[in-house]
Amino acid sequence: MDSAAAVSPDTFDALNLFLRADWVVKLVMIGLAAASLWSWTVILDKLFRFAALNREANRFEDAVASGRSLEEIAAEAGERPRHALPRMLQGALKEWRDARQKGQTDSQAAFLVQRIDRVLDTIIARESQRIEEGLGTLAIVATASPFVGLFGTVWGIMHAFQSIAIQKNTSLAVVAPSIAEALFATAIGLVAAIPAYIAFNAFSTKAGKYTARLEGFADDLSTAIQRRLAERV
């Protein structure tokens, strides 16, 4: 441990606090920094992904609301659209075409609506699972990081007390650097946890809203199919 004369403002900068820390505390700091980087990767990915999903959903819903035929809009989306809304439209129309080709009677119309609803529900469930990927990572970082940082702090303080006992010097100039090294681990834990916690709650809300948007579109599709069936009666 440095003497009081060696203590300077540079002693308390982040790099020196890391370099002077015990090896266990260093591992804790490195782990927390990696967790923070991991969570920020998820955060940036979700920011761009939700923006792209909502932008594409707005464009597709505008096309559906334009008055053009659903078949034409579904054909423009291509054979394997990446977005959920055109997949839902194509799935519903496929069930409709299959029912007409098989000469389904009007009494079987209820079964057709049920099949369409199942297809749409399956697409919604898969899409919801896909957009929620990574949220578990944010939850883990948000909940575990403060405790990991606290462990590093406790370990660092124990190591500092051992050094103080060996040197038999309890002056503030001697104690302060060691305590600062230990508390730095808690600070890094909070730096990792706070953005992850905020992002988890924000993206969970966005995922819920997007799922509700898909469910609303599914209801509209089901209504449109039922309207077609009614027109045939």
Side-chain angles (χ1 to χ4, degrees), residues 16 65 106 114 129 148 159 191 193 200 207-208 217 225-226:
N16 282 326
D106 295 336
Q114 290 178 2
Q129 183 178 8
V148 175
H159 185 265
V191 168
F200 173 77
F217 187 76
I225 296 299
Q226 293 180 45

Side-chain angles (χ1 to χ4, degrees), residues 83-203:
H83 198 274
L85 294 185
R87 292 205 309 271
M88 293 169 66
L89 177 59
Q90 291 178 352
L93 292 178
K94 181 178 181 300
E95 292 294 330
W96 165 262
R97 288 193 301 269
D98 290 346
R100 294 190 63 183
Q101 290 173 0
K102 293 177 182 178
Q104 185 166 325
T105 63
D106 295 336
S107 61
Q108 297 174 308
F111 297 103
L112 170 60
V113 174
Q114 290 178 2
R115 289 200 306 272
I116 292 175
D117 287 341
R118 284 197 296 268
V119 169
L120 298 180
D121 289 342
T122 300
I123 295 175
I124 291 173
R126 290 176 179 173
E127 185 68 10
S128 298
Q129 183 178 8
R130 188 175 70 88
I131 62 176
E132 290 176 359
E133 291 177 355
L135 294 184
T137 297
L138 296 179
I140 292 172
V141 173
T143 55
S145 293
F147 296 102
V148 175
L150 182 60
F151 166 76
T153 295
V154 173
W155 184 277
I157 290 176
M158 290 172 56
H159 185 265
F161 283 161
Q162 290 175 359
S163 300
I164 291 169
I166 292 173
Q167 295 195 24
K168 298 180 180 180
N169 188 343
T170 58
S171 67
L172 183 60
V174 173
V175 176
S178 298
I179 301 299
E181 295 161 16
L183 293 176
F184 189 46
T186 296
I188 296 178
L190 293 176
V191 168
I194 292 173
Y197 177 79
I198 295 173
F200 173 77
N201 285 280
F203 291 137

Side-chain angles (χ1 to χ4, degrees), residues 54-100:
N54 285 305
R55 183 169 57 250
E56 180 63 22
N58 290 335
R59 186 197 65 78
F60 191 79
E61 287 178 346
D62 289 342
V64 172
S66 65
R68 298 160 54 196
S69 69
L70 297 180
E71 286 79 6
E72 180 183 353
I73 297 173
E76 288 182 353
E79 293 183 1
R80 294 182 179 179
R82 298 181 60 184
H83 198 274
L85 294 185
R87 292 205 309 271
M88 293 169 66
L89 177 59
Q90 291 178 352
L93 292 178
K94 181 178 181 300
E95 292 294 330
W96 165 262
R97 288 193 301 269
D98 290 346
R100 294 190 63 183

